[in-house]
Amino acid sequence: MTERYVWDLQEVDETQVAVVGGKGAHLGGLSRIEGIRVPGGFCVTTDAFRRIMAEAPSLDDRLDQLSRLNPDDREAIRTLSAEIRRTIEGIAVPGDLAAAITRALARLGEQAACAVRSSATAEDLPTASFAGQQDTYLNVVGPTAILQHVSRCWASLFTERAVIYRQRNGIDHRTVHMAVVVQRMVFPHAAGILFTADPVTGNRKVATVDAGFGLGEALVSGLVNPDVFKVRHGEVVAKAIAAKQRAVHALPAGGTQEVAIDSQRQEQPALTDAQVVRLVQLGRLIEAHFGRSQDIEWCLVDGGFQIVQSRPITTLFPLPETGDQENHVYVSVGHGQMMTDPMKPLGLSMWHLTAMVPMHTAGGRLFVDVTRRLASPASRAGLLDVLGRGDPLIRDALETVLDRDDFVPSLPDARPGGPPGRGASAPIETDPAIVTELIERSQVSIAALERDIRTKTGPALFDFLLEAFEEHKRVLSDPLSMQAIMAGMEATWWLNDTLQEWLDEKNAADTLTLSAPDNVTSEMGLALLDVADVIRPHSEVVAFLRGVEDEGFLDELAKLTGGTEARDAIETYLDRYGMRCVGEIDITRPRWRERPTTLVPVILDNVRNFEPGAAERRFEQGRQKAQKKEQDVLSRLRALPDGDRKADEAKRMIDRVRTFIGYREYPKYGIVSRYFVYKQALLEEAERLVQANVLPEKEDIFYLTFQELQDVVRSNQVDDRLIQQRKDAFRSYHALTPPRVLTSDGEAVTGAYRRDDAPAGALIGLPVSAGTIEGRARVILDIAEADLEAGDILVTTFTDPSWSPLFVGVAGLVTEVGGQMTHGAVIAREYGLPAVVGVEQATRLIRDGQRIRVHGTDGYVEILP
């Protein structure tokens, strides 16, 4: 096929991104929508760009150099990208290419004023908008100037910001090509941007219009504040008219200039309400055509609207698919499970298949639909109470939705089920033998799974796993297990509420639960201190571990003095806890057993920061503190009126909480233990698929659902394009922040702490472990990069059980996600760490190394000077 350098806009549509780039393809698609006017023009194709790049062989070497640079090395990127731009702009446009552009220009009118606009192939995509990454030139007049600006657009593929954006998004510079759109210039009365969904709240039913006088450049560049209109159901529901002192106008000879607006016009609206409503109707047509919410640039010319650009809004959190038009309210599962990162498709589908309640997927995250339970007054109070005790922001967000004009219909009564409300303590005896029996039951079930799965391969493995998932759910829903969990939680609530009422003491249960028995997660942190004790005397082993990078390091240890003992200690630890990892609810995440280097920094911190025997001392100190606190509380209660009764009741609850609160962590340990068995079997199956040349690599199975993987194993065929699409989507989901509460209108509701008891400037959160501590903040987003000193305060996004080994070495904890009974809170209390969780944007607002004060009793964090 011969290369074609110029296409008319009317000839292209959104399927031709590879030829005319994202902007050109969208403009072509727009020009085909009935009722939408787009200024006429043409596209200089990516063939032309490739031809220009081939004219300068030196560009190849420079692109190689560029791809090797660190995205944070701004100076090197600035220098090299400027060289590349100069080279491209210096290449003379070949005669046949210049002639093709000039012929197309003649059809517009050779001296017509034009906009010359970059249109990269990685631009205006559903997963990455690349907004503002390349250049646009307005009011360019005459063939010579047009050709010069086309060259500038080609070169703008290598602006510093575009290069960094691609590197941060993992996009190879060589895979992106630049087309150029040349359009007849329009000289508008007003211009601006229309978002067909509210870009702040995400509400798909609210459109937002930004409008100013003259060219839209004044708004995009931030020269003026726009008028802002909000439209819902064909009606302007809110507007703010700005004082628009400046505008950008086109000059007759080419180019643009800023002009002052007459004082009497400055506060006039740029559009009438009727025009705003008409514009939003056009936006809805465009949105329907492209199938998703759009960010649209528009111009008002001679009383009518012309559309000069439309791109997807990539920052909106996607919606769960329901197949109906009803209103729905969804609560994030990740905030309760302490894992707000996106999950891969296999991880999502395995959680669906093993979860106790139906779940929905959106943006790589899991959500539960709570509409029905909110709709019935009988179940609403219990749901709000349980969710509110866990995370007050979720409760507040749900109450915000309930306060709205009948978004949630009122139903007589929901179906039974769902989280129980607060009631009497669970009807089981306070007997430690119950916990022992539950743990034994779980261990027997997991041992049977490990034994029986060994002989299963191919389709038979998937049949076996579907049966195993039923056993998984049976163990999880064991009534005795549920009673034990609720007994510990309700006893905690009772102690905190009642002792505050009787003794005016906040969060007394935090001390009373220190070093509670049978807590598999806190034992995991202490056990790594014991591993450090084995390693500490052997300086050769310590030195070796400091340089470890390869996952096979355990085999190398045996060659060193003391290495066999060190290896055995780590292996024993991995036998008990190697199925854990950060984000462990996603089966696809690498486990410690698969990536033991993750633990090395934590072991080395423990070697450096602790003396031998620290684990036993730590546990015993906690036990004694709890005992002392119990004696103190009971003696103070006996001094009150009716004191013996109050002390007896409190004693019963203290015994109850110490019996059962440790077990709260065990079911998750059981789930993750099972997950590792499932994963190992599926990876063996994936290895067979690789050997049979069905898959290029084992980890590709992570981008298929369980059911899809079952089909691949049966048919020995896979859709490579589906896997690539899933990989692209997963990468894009990392840029999204999952909301605690999401509505079917697309609104992300964050909730707020309704409190005024913290000092000005403090970061508000939820108090989950009492005490006040001051120290150096260590903002750590990856456990493998931990580098802690005694007295440091850990600041991170979320902490699931895998973070527990870090807890033994820190003095306090601050997280963005969490609630009273999530794992991080339970373990912080176990170890006596002052902790505040649910602090919005803590990892951004607190800088690594800053001194902070954590008020774990009152629930706020102060950043110290």
Side-chain angles (χ1 to χ4, degrees):
M1 184 181 141
T2 57
E3 290 170 335
R4 185 170 166 197
Y5 297 130
V6 174
W7 293 62
D8 192 273
L9 266 182
Q10 298 283 344
E11 296 179 272
V12 300
D13 63 24
E14 55 272 25
T15 64
Q16 289 161 295
V17 171
V19 180
V20 295
K23 192 175 289 146
H26 270 76
L27 285 167
L30 282 166
S31 65
R32 291 163 178 246
I33 305 172
E34 193 162 341
I36 301 298
R37 292 168 61 204
V38 175
F42 60 89
C43 300
V44 182
T45 65
T46 51
D47 281 342
F49 173 77
R50 276 189 286 269
R51 170 131 177 230
I52 289 295
M53 293 294 279
E55 296 276 325
S58 66
L59 286 171
D60 249 6
D61 288 343
R62 285 177 177 156
L63 286 180
D64 284 341
Q65 285 175 272
L66 198 60
S67 63
R68 289 195 293 268
L69 291 178
N70 185 316
D72 295 323
D73 191 349
R74 301 292 289 263
E75 193 53 47
I77 289 173
R78 185 177 301 127
T79 304
L80 190 51
S81 58
E83 274 180 39
I84 294 171
R85 288 198 306 279
R86 276 197 302 276
T87 304
I88 295 171
E89 286 186 41
I91 297 168
V93 180
D96 57 333
L97 175 49
I101 294 171
T102 307
R103 278 195 303 276
L105 190 58
R107 291 194 292 274
L108 291 182
E110 202 163 275
Q111 292 303 310
C114 293
V116 183
R117 315 174 70 193
S118 306
S119 180
T121 52
E123 181 178 66
D124 296 352
L125 304 179
T127 56
S129 76
F130 286 73
Q133 296 305 312
Q134 283 90 38
D135 291 346
T136 287
Y137 302 97
L138 300 177
N139 203 31
V140 183
V141 179
T144 306
I146 296 281
L147 286 170
Q148 183 189 10
H149 285 84
V150 167
S151 285
R152 285 185 182 171
C153 283
W154 288 328
S156 76
L157 190 63
F158 298 98
T159 60
E160 183 189 344
R161 63 183 182 273
V163 167
I164 291 170
Y165 189 93
R166 286 196 294 274
Q167 286 183 310
R168 293 229 159 106
N169 283 276
I171 296 166
D172 183 348
H173 301 300
R174 292 174 188 279
T175 62
V176 185
H177 300 112
M178 181 65 84
V180 182
V181 175
V182 180
Q183 273 179 295
R184 187 190 297 280
M185 188 74 191
V186 292
F187 301 100
H189 163 76
I193 300 162
L194 157 63
F195 296 97
T196 62
D198 188 315
V200 177
T201 67
N203 195 320
R204 306 318 198 254
K205 295 199 173 155
V206 175
T208 302
V209 175
D210 290 2
F213 294 121
L215 292 167
E217 199 65 15
L219 268 60
V220 176
S221 65
L223 181 66
V224 296
N225 290 326
D227 297 340
V228 180
F229 302 85
K230 291 194 183 293
V231 176
R232 187 184 176 102
H233 301 316
E235 183 186 345
V236 176
V237 292
K239 61 181 166 184
I241 307 304
K244 299 168 289 298
Q245 297 173 341
R246 317 283 294 166
V248 174
H249 284 178
L251 293 168
T256 61
Q257 78 172 141
E258 287 178 28
V259 295
I261 295 174
D262 294 344
S263 55
Q264 63 268 34
R265 275 188 72 212
Q266 287 179 6
E267 299 201 27
Q268 284 180 5
L271 296 177
T272 66
D273 283 11
Q275 286 172 325
V276 170
V277 170
R278 169 70 187 136
L279 176 60
V280 170
Q281 287 170 343
L282 297 175
R284 295 290 178 217
L285 283 177
I286 294 167
E287 180 180 63
H289 175 84
F290 289 119
R292 55 188 298 151
S293 305
Q294 297 287 303
D295 161 357
I296 298 165
E297 292 180 28
W298 56 269
C299 296
L300 179 64
V301 186
D302 300 328
F305 289 105
Q306 296 207 28
I307 305 300
V308 293
Q309 187 159 340
S310 185
R311 62 166 72 94
I313 307 176
T314 57
T315 54
L316 298 177
F317 200 85
L319 292 174
E321 289 178 18
T322 56
D324 64 36
Q325 297 302 306
E326 304 293 313
N327 288 348
H328 294 271
V329 182
Y330 304 98
V331 170
S332 162
V333 173
H335 285 81
Q337 287 294 336
M338 303 300 288
M339 209 310 253
T340 52
D341 289 349
M343 295 168 68
K344 294 191 178 104
L346 184 63
L348 290 164
S349 70
M350 294 286 276
W351 195 262
H352 278 292
L353 288 164
T354 53
M356 303 308 301
V357 294
M359 293 188 182
H360 299 264
T361 300
R365 277 78 168 191
L366 293 162
F367 292 86
V368 172
D369 187 340
V370 296
T371 321
R372 177 98 192 173
R373 277 177 276 169
L374 283 178
S376 157
S379 56
R380 182 188 305 151
L383 177 74
L384 289 174
D385 187 50
V386 168
L387 291 178
R389 280 185 170 272
D391 186 338
L393 292 177
I394 290 180
R395 177 178 185 137
D396 188 75
L398 290 174
E399 287 175 336
T400 301
V401 175
L402 287 167
D403 286 345
R404 299 226 172 105
D405 46 358
D406 300 326
F407 185 84
V408 178
S410 244
L411 299 175
D413 265 310
R415 292 186 300 278
R422 281 182 71 213
S425 294
I428 55 172
E429 292 300 310
T430 303
D431 180 359
I434 292 172
V435 173
T436 307
E437 182 193 338
L438 285 168
I439 290 173
E440 279 174 9
R441 278 189 206 176
S442 176
Q443 287 171 339
V444 166
S445 176
I446 291 167
L449 171 68
E450 289 173 335
R451 182 188 66 237
D452 297 344
I453 204 169
R454 283 184 195 133
T455 56
K456 307 294 187 291
T457 63
L461 170 66
F462 288 84
D463 295 338
F464 173 81
L465 282 172
L466 288 170
E467 288 177 26
F469 297 162
E470 293 310 306
E471 166 67 2
H472 180 124
K473 289 196 274 192
R474 187 196 65 73
V475 172
L476 269 187
S477 60
D478 181 339
L480 188 62
S481 178
M482 303 294 281
Q483 287 173 321
I485 291 168
M486 287 312 296
M489 288 168 64
E490 287 176 345
T492 304
W493 294 337
W494 187 94
L495 285 167
N496 279 337
D497 291 352
T498 310
L499 295 181
Q500 177 146 18
E501 182 189 331
W502 288 348
L503 298 175
D504 196 25
E505 182 165 343
K506 282 185 185 175
N507 302 330
D510 294 358
T511 309
L512 293 165
T513 53
L514 288 171
S515 298
D518 299 313
N519 187 320
V520 71
T521 308
S522 65
E523 287 165 8
M524 177 170 72
L526 296 173
L528 207 58
L529 288 174
D530 290 336
V531 172
D533 284 356
V534 174
I535 289 168
R536 191 179 291 107
H538 304 294
S539 56
E540 202 180 338
V541 172
V542 174
F544 170 77
L545 289 177
R546 285 200 187 108
V548 157
E549 287 179 5
D550 183 69
E551 295 302 341
F553 75 93
L554 288 170
D555 296 333
E556 297 295 310
L557 272 175
K559 301 170 187 171
L560 308 173
T561 307
T564 305
E565 297 96 306
R567 184 195 60 195
D568 292 350
I570 295 172
E571 286 284 3
T572 303
Y573 185 86
L574 289 172
D575 288 344
R576 177 107 207 258
Y577 304 110
M579 78 295 286
R580 309 218 83 150
C581 67
V582 172
E584 60 194 12
I585 68 169
D586 181 353
I587 196 171
T588 72
R589 289 286 191 106
R591 310 282 136 177
W592 290 344
R593 172 52 85 184
E594 296 168 306
R595 201 175 283 176
T597 54
T598 307
L599 291 173
V600 170
V602 193
I603 293 170
L604 289 171
D605 282 350
N606 287 350
V607 166
R608 188 176 69 243
N609 295 334
F610 290 93
E611 295 295 319
E616 196 177 336
R617 274 198 309 280
R618 187 86 181 242
F619 187 81
E620 185 54 29
Q621 283 164 0
R623 199 184 62 76
Q624 286 179 12
K625 265 191 201 169
Q627 207 170 19
K628 193 174 168 192
K629 183 69 173 176
E630 177 182 331
Q631 290 164 355
D632 171 59
V633 163
L634 297 179
S635 66
R636 283 159 63 201
L637 286 174
R638 287 194 188 96
L640 298 175
D642 197 16
D644 286 345
R645 179 190 63 80
K646 287 175 179 170
D648 288 348
E649 272 191 66
K651 172 63 175 157
R652 268 200 309 280
M653 285 301 180
I654 291 168
D655 290 347
R656 201 164 176 75
V657 83
R658 290 196 67 78
T659 300
F660 292 116
I661 201 64
Y663 179 71
R664 163 77 178 77
E665 292 294 298
Y666 202 85
K668 181 83 172 273
Y669 177 76
I671 291 171
V672 176
S673 299
R674 287 173 185 281
Y675 262 28
F676 193 40
V677 179
Y678 306 153
K679 181 181 188 179
Q680 288 171 302
L682 291 173
L683 281 174
E684 283 175 25
E685 208 55 48
E687 184 56 45
R688 281 189 275 278
L689 292 170
V690 171
Q691 297 300 325
N693 294 318
V694 177
L695 287 176
E697 48 191 56
K698 283 196 301 187
E699 283 74 19
D700 283 351
I701 67 165
F702 297 161
Y703 297 93
L704 298 169
T705 65
F706 180 83
Q707 295 84 348
E708 289 165 348
L709 179 54
Q710 187 174 14
D711 293 340
V712 169
V713 167
R714 283 197 178 125
S715 66
N716 262 358
Q717 289 181 309
V718 72
D719 183 346
D720 295 331
R721 283 170 312 171
L722 175 67
I723 288 176
Q724 190 53 51
Q725 283 167 3
R726 294 272 177 79
K727 286 180 178 179
D728 292 343
F730 177 71
R731 191 166 55 233
S732 75
Y733 294 152
H734 277 281
L736 301 172
T737 301
R740 282 175 165 80
V741 171
L742 181 67
T743 74
S744 49
D745 281 356
E747 189 170 1
V749 193
T750 52
Y753 292 109
R754 310 290 172 182
R755 287 172 37 195
D756 53 10
D757 58 346
L763 307 180
I764 307 290
L766 180 65
V768 295
S769 185
T772 302
I773 193 73
E774 190 176 304
R776 178 179 71 153
R778 290 310 318 268
V779 180
I780 296 174
L781 302 179
D782 180 350
I783 190 173
E785 291 170 10
D787 180 16
L788 295 163
E789 299 287 347
D792 283 349
I793 296 168
L794 174 62
V795 180
T796 191
T797 325
F798 57 78
T799 56
D800 59 10
S802 70
W803 286 78
S804 300
L806 256 61
F807 283 26
V808 297
V810 296
L813 174 70
V814 180
T815 68
E816 294 181 349
V817 175
Q820 278 284 0
M821 284 295 167
T822 47
H823 302 278
V826 172
I827 304 306
R829 288 194 290 273
E830 276 278 314
Y831 288 162
L833 299 179
V836 180
V837 302
V839 180
E840 289 281 85
Q841 299 195 340
T843 60
R844 295 187 188 113
L845 297 172
I846 299 169
R847 290 197 314 277
D848 187 50
Q850 274 186 319
R851 286 196 71 75
I852 61 173
R853 189 180 295 127
V854 177
H855 295 262
T857 309
D858 296 311
Y860 63 90
V861 180
E862 290 180 281
I863 297 175
L864 303 174

